[in-house]
Amino acid sequence: MNVSHNSLKKLEQNSTTGRGSEVSVLHSTVKVLDLSYNNVSRIGRNFFRPVERSLTHLYLSHNWLRNATRQVFGNMPHLQWLDLSHNQLAEMDFDTFRNTRNLQVH
């Protein structure tokens, strides 16, 4: 899924998600998500929950991220590629990638 080169500023979980949509979330097939070249400065803690079990490649380069936390990136067991280049990272939790054991390129 390519959502690059837009003007997204925040990535937050949809608070109107109902119980019926939670079931479909469990069977996500999104493997590649490109959010690069946006203006993202904040990622909500559960934003990636719908795709965290299926993602293998995540592109977040050329944004305005200031920190990387375990709540955002810590539960992506199949993630192999993560691009956080060209951000404003100043803080990263020591266990940010605790459950990303397949991460090969970051």
Side-chain angles (χ1 to χ4, degrees), residues 2 5 21 25 28 30 61-62 66 69-70 84 98:
N2 189 341
H5 295 87
S21 62
V25 163
S28 172
V30 175
S61 67
H62 297 275
R66 287 181 226 115
T69 65
R70 176 182 41 149
L84 291 170
R98 68 182 169 135

Side-chain angles (χ1 to χ4, degrees), residues 14-37:
N14 184 351
S15 61
T16 61
T17 302
R19 182 142 177 88
S21 62
E22 289 175 12
V23 173
S24 63
V25 163
L26 296 174
H27 301 292
S28 172
T29 58
V30 175
K31 292 184 183 282
V32 178
L33 181 56
D34 188 346
L35 292 160
S36 58
Y37 292 93

Side-chain angles (χ1 to χ4, degrees), residues 2-102:
N2 189 341
V3 193
S4 65
H5 295 87
N6 284 288
S7 298
L8 299 172
K9 293 181 180 181
K10 295 179 183 175
L11 303 177
E12 301 286 341
Q13 183 181 20
N14 184 351
S15 61
T16 61
T17 302
R19 182 142 177 88
S21 62
E22 289 175 12
V23 173
S24 63
V25 163
L26 296 174
H27 301 292
S28 172
T29 58
V30 175
K31 292 184 183 282
V32 178
L33 181 56
D34 188 346
L35 292 160
S36 58
Y37 292 93
N38 277 286
N39 296 313
V40 177
S41 61
R42 178 175 170 11
I43 301 174
R45 66 184 298 171
N46 293 321
F47 178 76
F48 291 116
R49 181 161 285 162
V51 296
E52 65 189 2
R53 299 271 181 207
S54 62
L55 273 184
T56 60
H57 294 71
L58 178 58
Y59 300 90
L60 285 162
S61 67
H62 297 275
N63 280 291
W64 294 97
L65 293 173
R66 287 181 226 115
N67 59 27
T69 65
R70 176 182 41 149
Q71 288 81 14
V72 174
F73 298 104
N75 198 28
M76 298 182 186
H78 303 290
L79 192 65
Q80 297 173 12
W81 185 289
L82 174 62
D83 188 352
L84 291 170
S85 63
H86 301 282
N87 277 282
Q88 305 296 316
L89 290 173
E91 288 184 45
M92 186 174 291
D93 291 346
F94 75 94
D95 59 349
T96 297
F97 306 108
R98 68 182 169 135
N99 288 328
T100 53
R101 293 181 181 96
N102 291 323

